[in-house]
Amino acid sequence: MRDAVAIVLAAGSGERLGLETPKAFVALRGRPILARAVAAALACQGVGSVVVTAPSGAEDLAHAIVEPLGAHAVVTGGATRHASVRAALRLVPDEVDTILCHDAARALATSALFAAVLGALEGWDGVVPVVPVSDTVKRVREGAVVGTEPREDLALAQTPQAFKALALRDAHARAAEADVEFTDDAAALEWAGYRVRTVPGEPHAFKITTAGDLARAERVLSEARP
Ligand code: CTP
Ligand code: MG
């Protein structure tokens, strides 16, 4: 059944990438990051439609990129990622019971990952893809090591993340009320007391943050299709 709505977050400026163009519009092997992310979402059978958050002033550009793919809702993002999610939530009809949140910057996440998080949602409020931590993680204060985290308890979170719509809406409303910010949506649900589970993430679903990440994504694509 194609009934989930995917929110694709693309309203950031990409400050750490350091290009003139907002990150989501940067071409990756000739195709904008945003187009790749939206195409992966829509290629997943369970996804019925996509809502895109765009930087203020770049809504038309976002629309021009995603409309041919079949995604027609574009909304102006907010000052923070959370504010962007809340803006997108206002466009998702109340009768939709499953919502995915995805960073456009994870341009190489596959439609199989969308399917995996959707498929694992039954009996939970949220699902987050994770990959293991391979480095040893130190807790550091003012240059001094004050602890070493047990690595087997740690994981790196990715997107797409899948949620029961009511839980996602409630967690975001409460976080906004309490004026707390998180770097992903699962964290808002955890904070609000909801049950979030994990599924295995994908090595290539890393977030394109820096120029090095962009170069890595280009390499991945050229190895896949020389
Ligand atoms: N995002 C958003 N609205 C914001 C901030 C971020 O929709 N106000 C989106 C970004 O477009 C990105 C995703 O959230 O796809 C993850 O954010 P991040 O990687 O931090 O992207 P930017 O904020 O664009 O990058 P930077 O922090 O380097 O400026
Ligand atoms: Mg950011």
Side-chain angles (χ1 to χ4, degrees), residues 18 45 80 162 225:
Q45 275 230 324
T80 62
R225 214 164 5 107

Side-chain angles (χ1 to χ4, degrees), residues 199-225:
V199 295
E202 292 178 341
H204 293 165
F206 62 87
K207 187 159 70 69
I208 299 170
T209 305
T210 62
D213 297 326
L214 189 63
R216 178 179 169 200
E218 299 270 4
R219 271 197 311 276
V220 168
L221 287 171
S222 56
E223 278 157 20
R225 214 164 5 107

Side-chain angles (χ1 to χ4, degrees), residues 9-16 23 53 78-81 84 103-105 207:
L9 294 149
S13 59
E15 214 171 291
R16 288 168 289 180
K23 186 159 71 181
T53 71
T80 62
R81 186 184 179 286
S84 292
D103 295 328
K207 187 159 70 69

Side-chain angles (χ1 to χ4, degrees), residues 2 4-10 31 34-43 47-54 59-75 91 104 114:
R2 292 179 71 92
V5 171
I7 293 173
V8 175
L9 294 149
R31 194 173 189 205
L34 175 60
R36 292 184 179 276
V38 168
L42 285 169
V47 175
S49 64
V50 171
V51 175
V52 173
T53 71
E59 295 88 347
D60 289 351
L61 182 53
H63 199 268
I65 290 173
V66 301
E67 218 251 357
L69 303 171
H72 23 78
V74 174
V75 64
L91 259 72
F114 283 79

Side-chain angles (χ1 to χ4, degrees), residues 48-145:
S49 64
V50 171
V51 175
V52 173
T53 71
S56 177
E59 295 88 347
D60 289 351
L61 182 53
H63 199 268
I65 290 173
V66 301
E67 218 251 357
L69 303 171
H72 23 78
V74 174
V75 64
T76 311
T80 62
R81 186 184 179 286
H82 268 234
S84 292
V85 174
R86 287 195 297 272
L89 282 175
R90 288 195 277 275
L91 259 72
V92 179
D94 281 343
E95 58 269 24
V96 170
D97 58 22
T98 305
I99 299 176
L100 296 124
C101 295
H102 184 47
D103 295 328
R106 297 182 188 274
L108 303 187
T110 68
S111 60
L113 193 57
F114 283 79
V117 293
L118 278 180
L121 188 57
E122 182 70 37
W124 294 80
D125 301 310
V127 182
V128 47
V130 295
V131 291
V133 174
S134 51
D135 292 322
T136 300
V137 180
K138 300 291 184 196
R139 191 170 287 280
V140 178
R141 224 166 276 145
E142 289 170 6
V145 174

